[in-house]
Amino acid sequence: MSLLLKISRLIDALAELIGKLAMWFILAATLISAGNAIVRKIFSVSSNSLLEVQWYLFAAVFMLGGGYAFLRNAHVRIDFVSGRFSARTRNWIDVAGIVIFLFPLCYMMMTLGWPLFERAWETGEMSSNAGGLIRWPVYGLIPLGFALLMLQGASELIKRFAFLTGNGPDALSHTGPDEVQQLAADIAAQDKNRKAGAAS
């Protein structure tokens, strides 16, 4: 189990790295969108390629961020139902969900997405819009995103079995503050420090 947990930690580190990269994609998409809107408003000039870059970045955030959301337990859950179950039952439900639903879905989407990417790569498929971009990078996000989600699913499965066998903590427990609560606490602490500095 210790080897599997090491593999799980490596997968989690990869998901963290990709999640941070996706955050930069959000910033880039925002800046490009704002710049495009300003240029269009002031100079009456627009660019299809810049519009498509926004779409590509949004697609990258959505497709590559699935594994990160799973790692952070930020995906949709019906907590008011699962909260009534014991920790072991919640983990067994997760195991069943990963094996019965997540893995087959990821496999199916990778299988369906790969030919789209391959065809676009081989033909050099371009957007039908004037000045549009080449299509294979965005098609490639489909199999890549679901492969990363499946990989993170494997990591979560390892963590669930580690808990069920007494070899690890409950990854589903909500003992500490969530990210929003932690951000609010950090902002409050910074505000308090700023006021204390201004008073002195």
Side-chain angles (χ1 to χ4, degrees):
M1 183 56 78
S2 60
L3 175 61
L4 289 174
L5 286 170
K6 284 180 185 176
I7 293 169
S8 174
R9 284 192 289 272
L10 286 173
I11 295 170
D12 290 353
L14 175 64
E16 283 279 355
L17 181 66
I18 292 170
K20 288 175 182 172
L21 179 64
M23 292 176 199
W24 285 105
F25 287 167
I26 293 170
L27 175 62
T30 304
L31 293 175
I32 291 168
S33 177
N36 210 18
I38 291 167
V39 168
R40 185 170 59 245
K41 189 74 173 173
I42 295 174
F43 301 108
S44 297
V45 175
S46 185
S47 166
N48 283 333
S49 60
L50 286 178
L51 286 172
E52 291 190 7
V53 165
Q54 293 170 225
W55 303 338
Y56 282 24
L57 288 169
F58 176 76
V61 169
F62 184 79
M63 293 305 304
L64 302 181
Y68 180 72
F70 200 5
L71 169 66
R72 291 293 185 170
N73 205 17
H75 53 294
V76 175
R77 284 187 181 277
I78 309 175
D79 286 334
F80 77 92
V81 174
S82 63
R84 299 171 188 270
F85 300 136
S86 69
R88 288 186 65 82
T89 302
R90 285 197 306 271
N91 278 273
W92 275 116
I93 290 170
D94 254 32
V95 167
I98 291 167
V99 172
I100 296 170
F101 298 108
L102 180 69
F103 284 167
L105 172 69
C106 290
Y107 177 76
M108 180 180 71
M109 295 305 293
M110 287 160 50
T111 304
L112 293 172
W114 182 258
L116 289 173
F117 163 73
E118 197 173 32
R119 185 169 61 248
W121 172 272
E122 289 171 355
T123 62
E125 181 182 342
M126 298 289 294
S127 167
S128 58
N129 297 318
L133 302 177
I134 197 160
R135 285 292 174 94
W136 66 261
V138 77
Y139 287 144
L141 290 171
I142 299 169
L144 177 60
F146 280 99
L148 290 169
L149 181 57
M150 188 178 220
L151 197 60
Q152 189 59 42
S155 172
E156 298 303 318
L157 196 60
I158 291 168
K159 287 184 271 190
R160 302 304 181 268
F161 277 122
F163 170 73
L164 291 167
T165 57
N167 292 301
D170 182 7
L172 299 176
S173 66
H174 300 287
T175 52
D178 64 23
E179 291 180 3
V180 174
Q181 292 169 330
Q182 187 61 52
L183 179 60
D186 291 345
I187 291 170
Q190 289 174 359
D191 191 43
K192 185 177 178 182
N193 291 339
R194 189 170 45 249
K195 286 177 182 175
S200 62

